[in-house]
Amino acid sequence: MKELKQRGSLVELNTQIQLLLGQLEVNKAEARHKSIFVAGWRPWIGWVGGLAFAYQFVLYPLLCWVWALYSAKGSILTGVTPPLVLETGALFSMIAAMLGMGAMRSYDKTHGTQTDKL
């Protein structure tokens, strides 16, 4: 009985491995594709996220500082609004989730954690 149970779990594991290998082949084909719309969507998500982070945490504070300096000198016309802050809650959640999943998977691989039963 135990042997049948082990064979069943091996068949299930083999099926999961075959699905993962199939997805890997799809990923390789996408990466080799000549069209930027097929091969470039993953890097594009990374660049959009990186640019949003750069604006929010580097460029925006610098713009606010420059804005304050020119406002103090009276060089900025009244009625002109300061630079806009981005509404990035959803974008940051997505980027954090992507980074977290990558880090979690790397941790699992380096520590030999069994993830087939999760």
Side-chain angles (χ1 to χ4, degrees):
M1 185 68 165
K2 186 177 181 181
E3 186 178 317
L4 287 174
K5 203 175 204 183
Q6 287 176 342
R7 283 187 188 172
S9 64
L10 286 176
V11 168
E12 182 181 322
L13 180 61
N14 188 34
T15 302
Q16 290 176 358
I17 289 171
Q18 293 305 315
L19 287 171
L20 290 172
L21 289 174
Q23 183 61 52
L24 182 62
E25 290 304 315
V26 170
N27 292 349
K28 286 181 185 178
E30 279 183 356
R32 284 191 297 256
H33 203 279
K34 292 180 182 181
S35 171
I36 190 73
F37 296 106
V38 175
W41 74 271
R42 287 186 180 118
W44 182 78
I45 293 293
W47 279 106
V48 168
L51 289 173
F53 268 88
Y55 176 80
Q56 192 71 15
F57 297 112
V58 177
L59 188 59
Y60 179 75
L62 289 173
L63 288 173
C64 288
W65 180 71
V66 169
W67 181 268
L69 285 175
Y70 279 100
S71 290
K73 288 182 177 182
S75 300
I76 296 179
L77 300 173
T78 57
V80 178
T81 59
L84 298 175
V85 67
L86 295 178
E87 292 294 329
T88 54
L91 177 66
F92 290 167
S93 296
M94 181 188 71
I95 298 297
M98 288 172 59
L99 292 172
M101 285 187 281
M104 178 184 68
R105 194 65 194 117
S106 296
Y107 179 86
D108 286 344
K109 284 184 177 183
T110 58
H111 287 83
T113 306
Q114 280 296 95
T115 58
D116 59 339
K117 301 274 187 206
L118 298 178

